[in-house]
Amino acid sequence: MASSSSLWLLALAFLPGSCASLALGHLDPPAPLPLVIWHGMGVFGLPRCPGESSHICDLIRKTLNAGAYNKAIQERLVQAEYWHDPIKEDIYRNHSIFLADINQERGVNESYKKNLMALKKFVMVKFLNDSIVDPVDSEWFGFYRSGQAKETIPLQESTLYTQDRLGLKAMDNAGQLVFLALEGDHLQLSEAWFYAHIIPFLE
């Protein structure tokens, strides 16, 4: 049976990101906590857009980009908090009110790092047919190589990892990172899969 604190963290994992940010910044666990699931490096694409080669997708992406970092939009639209433009990284870092902060891309908040590293396991689930998160590698903390939006790199090649700004490199070396993948669209997992692959981390 999962503990109440375990279930609280699991519930937190499915809340909008700003809620996770508040918890990560203020939680001071007395003992290692078991689990959290997180969408990693953000999104840079339209949900259910038909493929990277589509000119329509690129046009819509540029249109969204024009307003994504507007202060009013950032403060009112959760989706904008996850918008990460790999082509204009400076604008993203300076104007993203959530993602750039929680991923330590403007500076290092030691409380974020300390609290994340307090987890026994940090489980990342990639939905291989995800039509919502673009790029899907973001679910494993991968993202587009800076300066373009075609080629992705894994977490281990990112500055976040090599400089260990969030503690993920140390956690990886300690066996605390868990990378899971399953066929299916965004958050489409069966009860059987959930009990077989997630619940054991909560016990």
Side-chain angles (χ1 to χ4, degrees):
M1 175 66 71
S3 70
S4 58
S5 61
S6 302
L7 293 173
W8 181 85
L9 273 174
L10 184 61
L12 170 69
F14 293 97
L15 289 173
S18 52
C19 299
S21 172
L22 288 171
L24 189 62
H26 294 96
L27 188 64
D28 190 13
L33 295 166
L35 169 77
V36 74
I37 308 170
W38 184 327
H39 280 305
M41 293 302 291
V43 296
F44 188 61
L46 180 71
R48 298 194 167 87
C49 211
E52 289 297 325
S53 62
S54 171
H55 295 299
I56 295 175
C57 294
D58 286 339
L59 177 61
I60 295 174
R61 182 185 270 166
K62 289 176 182 177
T63 303
L64 289 172
N65 217 32
Y69 297 120
N70 176 281
K71 187 173 185 291
I73 293 175
Q74 282 278 311
E75 291 175 347
R76 292 171 174 80
L77 188 64
V78 168
Q79 290 84 347
E81 294 182 2
Y82 285 95
W83 192 257
H84 181 172
D85 184 347
I87 300 169
K88 299 177 181 177
E89 293 276 5
D90 55 338
I91 295 176
Y92 156 70
R93 282 192 294 269
N94 290 329
H95 298 284
S96 168
I97 65 171
F98 165 63
L99 196 67
D101 173 61
I102 198 71
N103 281 346
Q104 309 274 51
E105 294 177 90
R106 280 196 290 266
V108 175
N109 183 322
E110 291 296 338
S111 67
Y112 288 1
K113 188 172 181 177
K114 171 189 171 186
N115 291 338
L116 187 62
M117 293 181 71
L119 296 170
K120 289 181 180 178
K121 295 292 182 182
F122 181 1
V123 178
M124 289 163 275
V125 181
K126 180 193 289 188
F127 297 87
L128 297 175
N129 309 111
D130 202 317
S131 62
I132 301 296
V133 176
D134 184 10
V136 70
D137 288 342
S138 177
E139 295 173 347
W140 278 2
F141 261 86
F143 201 63
Y144 292 115
R145 188 180 297 279
S146 184
Q148 50 83 58
K150 299 295 181 184
E151 179 192 1
T152 60
I153 59 173
L155 165 65
Q156 289 77 7
E157 293 182 26
S158 69
T159 302
L160 178 71
Y161 186 92
T162 58
Q163 295 182 359
D164 210 16
R165 300 174 69 84
L166 199 52
L168 295 177
K169 183 176 182 180
M171 294 176 75
D172 196 15
N173 291 337
Q176 291 169 266
L177 300 188
V178 179
F179 299 88
L180 300 179
L182 75 159
E183 297 290 339
D185 203 344
H186 189 66
L187 298 180
Q188 298 301 301
L189 67 167
S190 69
E191 184 176 347
W193 189 93
F194 182 84
Y195 274 90
H197 295 90
I198 301 298
I199 290 297
F201 290 111
L202 300 175
E203 294 175 338

